[in-house]
Amino acid sequence: MLLKVEGVSIEVDGRKVVQGVSVEVDRGEIHVLLGPNGSGKTTLLRAIMGLPGYNVIEGRIVFEGRTLNGLEPYERARLGIALMHQNPRPLDVKLSHLAREISKKYGSSLDMMRDFALDSLMEREAFKGFSGGEAKKAELALTILQRPKLAMLDEPDSGVDLESLKLVGRTINKLAEGGAGVLLVTHTGAVIEYLRKVTAAHVIVRGRIVMSGDVETLLEAVKRKGYEALARGGLL
Amino acid sequence: MSFLEKAVNAGSTALFLQRNYEIVRQLLAKGLADKGFILEPLSKAVEREWVRKLLWTALPQREIGLSGAFMYVPPGVSLRAPVSMCFVVSEGAQEVHNVLVVGEGSELVVTSTCTSAGAGAMHGGYTEIFLERGAKLDYVMIHSWTEKTQVIAETGVVVGEGASFNDVYISLKSPRALRESTRIAVRRGGSALASTLYLAGSGSSTLETVVTLEGEGASAEVVSKVVTTSGSIVSQPITIEARAPNAKGHVECRGLQLSPDSVLETIPALRSTRSGAYLTHEAAIGKISEEELAYLMTKGFNAEEATNMLVRGFLELGLKSIPEPLKPQISSILDLMARFATG
């Protein structure tokens, strides 16, 4: 198994945001995390990445058989875990330099930036004044430059146009076909129709996984009943 | 013919190297000499009356000798390879006076490297630059000093009608004490871009820039990026003054404090004596952002690598225009500055 999250509870600013979550992602699998705003989806990804302030107070996170608890984010990244941030803040670094340094570190090709039509942004400060769609594409491209074994994608489909949505879908499919595990957070589910095969979906409400299963079934149930009703009464 | 002579001739360029008061190399491609290009010691150049009359007209007069370089670029000359000037102080004090005159419509890049070594205690560099109508000069000063040295660097520039001046001042290692002053007068339709990248070590530094927009439609942008480390005391007063209608100026001063044990003061000032001018400024002092560090760490960079990258980026973003032939060299210098900044 590539990633095992075992009974993990996460505290942020002294408040328990995620409680007893377990999820497993294997190579080539795509897992979708669904849930309302503030349900703990992003917190879970950040804690797996080891970001400061996201404290795992119970359970453990295991990657390729190795417990991650206590490892710095850069150590986790070097093991093959990549996080595509939902809204990266503007950096005091040119996008071209950032991309070059990441590609040097992971031995990847910068062609990715061209494939994502990012040429015109390369000499600008990364993410400064980027439109929502530009920021998503740039951050996704940087994530791919890391050649991840596990790609955690935090809402790559929010605020992007239809063309970009297709590109995001194609990229996720390619990642999985290349053997990477994908943990995808989506608020709207917009990208799902462009994915060839989703292994499983998980619904998180108020920090707990309340349901796991087939993505179409869960999406349909969410549309029909809403997250809160699902959390209270299940699919029926 | 030496290797250097061959290189200078092949590149159709020029080189002037002075150590203390000795001119070590003075080379000028034959093709340029034939066109009337002059590069020679100032002491020789002042034999011409027009050169004598030019002295101390772009800077307040100082009582120093005639050590230094004189360069004259005749009208209509366009050089691809940079002209290099280098001044080294390795014993006691060195005072140099350089004068550059760029003729009408000429275009070139000049690098001026100043450094100290050994027992070099003091460098005083006074440079006067005159750009005639429509001339274009990229003037890149690269400085690196030992902690024992004291430095006074004054540059006075007259940007003629429709001329364009791109001034880049980069200091990799600051001296014990530095007073750097750049005064630029921009005539009608001329433009000036002055960029400073300064890595301050222990010691005091004043980085002053004063631009006067003298002619209608003159424009200037001054960008100053300072990184302070332990024991730095830096002041960066920058003034743009508009004396003509439709003049346009912008000042950007930014400071990055890597150590709490440092003092940084930025003083942007705008002055307009004619209506119809448009002047703006922005200034900020801050430290490395924890959020930016955390982001870079998720990309696989440890704290030191991430800090290096942010320092480098902070400095690089101060360079709005880099002459194409110098891009690789300046990129390497930025790498070095980031490494020096984080020890």
Side-chain angles (χ1 to χ4, degrees):
Chain A
M1 187 59 62
L2 186 66
L3 174 75
K4 276 176 134 180
V5 176
E6 299 174 350
V8 161
S9 296
I10 303 160
E11 207 174 63
V12 180
D13 291 332
R15 196 169 65 89
K16 207 186 244 190
V17 178
V18 169
Q19 299 185 49
V21 162
S22 296
V23 67
E24 292 187 355
V25 180
D26 211 347
R27 292 164 186 83
E29 291 185 348
I30 299 175
H31 288 249
V32 174
L33 289 176
L34 300 165
N37 287 333
S39 59
K41 308 183 297 290
T42 296
T43 296
L44 178 61
L45 298 197
R46 290 181 178 177
I48 294 171
M49 197 69 236
L51 273 166
Y54 295 82
N55 304 316
V56 175
I57 52 169
E58 286 166 355
R60 62 183 197 140
I61 301 166
V62 182
F63 182 72
E64 292 190 313
R66 178 178 180 175
T67 301
L68 296 181
N69 301 36
L71 287 186
E72 294 282 341
Y74 76 88
E75 294 172 305
R76 301 180 194 214
R78 290 176 188 182
L79 289 176
I81 302 174
L83 170 63
M84 178 199 167
H85 295 253
Q86 192 183 128
N87 294 307
R89 59 162 289 156
L91 294 175
D92 254 354
V93 179
K94 280 187 181 177
L95 181 61
S96 59
H97 186 67
L98 180 56
R100 205 163 46 241
E101 291 301 310
I102 294 175
S103 75
K104 266 200 299 199
K105 191 167 273 303
Y106 296 94
S108 51
S109 162
L110 279 172
D111 290 349
M112 173 62 60
M113 306 307 279
R114 208 168 304 121
D115 296 347
F116 275 53
L118 295 167
D119 288 351
S120 63
L121 301 175
M122 292 297 270
E123 292 312 303
R124 284 172 52 183
E125 290 162 78
F127 306 113
K128 186 172 185 182
F130 286 19
S131 71
E134 287 171 341
K136 293 285 178 193
K137 280 202 291 186
E139 175 63 357
L140 181 57
L142 294 174
T143 306
I144 305 304
L145 283 183
Q146 290 181 249
R147 299 171 68 190
K149 293 176 184 172
L150 172 69
M152 300 190 292
L153 312 177
D154 195 354
E155 297 199 16
D157 51 355
S158 62
V160 298
D161 59 36
L162 192 60
E163 277 305 303
S164 301
L165 203 56
K166 288 179 184 169
L167 177 71
V168 171
R170 279 201 304 273
T171 306
I172 296 172
N173 288 330
K174 251 191 206 172
L175 271 170
E177 284 159 15
V182 177
L183 191 50
L184 168 69
V185 164
T186 174
H187 184 61
T188 61
V191 73
I192 289 171
E193 67 173 292
Y194 300 101
L195 301 181
R196 283 202 198 106
K197 187 171 183 281
V198 174
T199 310
H202 313 274
V203 176
I204 300 189
V205 180
R206 293 193 300 278
R208 295 178 188 277
I209 291 186
V210 296
M211 202 167 289
S212 295
D214 169 68
V215 70
E216 280 86 16
T217 311
L218 288 189
L219 264 181
E220 173 58 31
V222 167
K223 279 177 192 162
R224 196 161 35 87
K225 299 183 67 175
Y227 285 116
E228 282 299 329
L230 270 186
R232 282 195 304 272
L235 279 176
L236 298 175
Chain B
M1 194 184 278
S2 71
F3 169 76
L4 260 181
E5 282 171 290
K6 281 181 192 164
V8 164
N9 269 308
S12 188
T13 184
L15 170 77
F16 189 94
L17 171 57
Q18 178 172 334
R19 185 175 55 225
N20 302 319
Y21 287 98
E22 178 198 359
I23 296 165
V24 181
R25 283 278 193 284
Q26 177 200 318
L27 301 170
L28 177 62
K30 190 175 176 310
L32 290 181
D34 293 345
K35 285 181 185 165
F37 193 114
I38 301 168
L39 181 66
E40 62 189 18
L42 186 65
S43 56
K44 186 174 176 213
V46 293
E47 290 170 8
R48 300 175 188 85
E49 191 186 354
W50 71 271
V51 175
R52 276 202 306 278
K53 282 186 175 170
L54 212 52
L55 299 189
W56 303 116
T57 56
L59 279 178
Q61 178 142 12
R62 307 288 177 198
E63 294 305 318
I64 64 166
L66 290 169
S67 171
F70 172 78
M71 185 169 82
Y72 171 69
V73 186
V77 169
S78 181
L79 296 191
R80 280 176 175 225
V83 171
S84 303
M85 296 163 66
C86 183
F87 300 90
V88 181
V89 55
S90 59
E91 283 173 18
Q94 175 193 51
E95 286 187 307
V96 295
H97 184 190
N98 302 313
V99 178
L100 283 67
V101 180
V102 184
E104 186 171 337
S106 287
E107 291 187 14
L108 80 159
V109 178
V110 173
T111 63
S112 174
T113 309
C114 298
T115 188
S116 57
M122 192 266 176
H123 169 88
Y126 303 87
T127 301
E128 296 184 272
I129 298 173
F130 303 89
L131 303 189
E132 292 178 354
R133 186 195 297 260
K136 186 169 182 261
L137 174 65
D138 291 295
Y139 185 68
V140 180
M141 287 192 289
I142 299 166
H143 289 189
S144 183
W145 307 104
T146 65
E147 289 171 359
K148 295 177 193 159
T149 316
Q150 197 170 345
V151 175
I152 297 171
E154 294 188 5
T155 306
V157 187
V158 178
V159 181
E161 284 190 17
S164 164
F165 179 58
N166 177 25
D167 175 51
V168 178
Y169 169 51
I170 302 177
S171 178
L172 285 91
K173 286 191 171 177
S174 62
R176 178 166 57 87
L178 173 131
R179 187 165 58 76
E180 197 274 336
S181 169
T182 301
R183 291 171 184 277
I184 305 171
V186 189
R187 301 223 168 119
R188 190 160 66 94
S191 67
L193 170 60
S195 312
T196 295
L197 307 187
Y198 194 79
L199 173 58
S202 175
S204 69
S205 311
T206 302
L207 305 161
E208 182 192 36
T209 305
V210 178
V211 181
T212 50
L213 302 171
E214 295 181 344
E216 184 170 357
S219 66
E221 184 175 357
V222 181
V223 183
S224 178
K225 295 268 191 154
V226 175
V227 178
T228 61
T229 58
S230 180
S232 312
I233 302 171
V234 181
S235 173
Q236 43 173 353
I238 299 174
T239 304
I240 295 187
E241 177 175 341
R243 296 179 182 168
N246 299 321
K248 200 175 165 189
H250 179 68
V251 177
E252 181 185 343
C253 330
R254 294 196 185 273
L256 181 62
Q257 280 186 296
L258 292 184
S259 163
D261 171 27
S262 67
V263 180
L264 177 56
E265 176 185 56
T266 68
I267 314 160
L270 306 175
R271 185 163 188 267
S272 176
T273 57
R274 285 289 299 264
S275 68
Y278 184 68
L279 304 176
T280 55
H281 74 74
E282 53 185 310
I285 295 174
K287 59 173 191 167
I288 293 273
S289 151
E290 292 296 326
E291 277 182 69
E292 290 185 40
L293 271 182
Y295 172 85
L296 290 175
M297 289 176 82
T298 67
K299 299 297 177 202
F301 302 100
N302 63 28
E304 190 185 329
E305 290 168 334
T307 305
N308 272 355
M309 198 185 291
L310 291 171
V311 170
R312 190 191 186 284
F314 170 81
L315 292 167
E316 184 178 27
L317 292 165
L319 292 172
K320 309 280 180 192
S321 173
I322 310 173
E324 198 59 42
L326 297 180
K327 278 187 174 169
Q329 187 187 353
I330 288 179
S331 179
S332 304
I333 289 172
L334 290 171
D335 289 341
L336 269 180
M337 288 175 89
R339 280 220 297 277
F340 291 161
T342 53

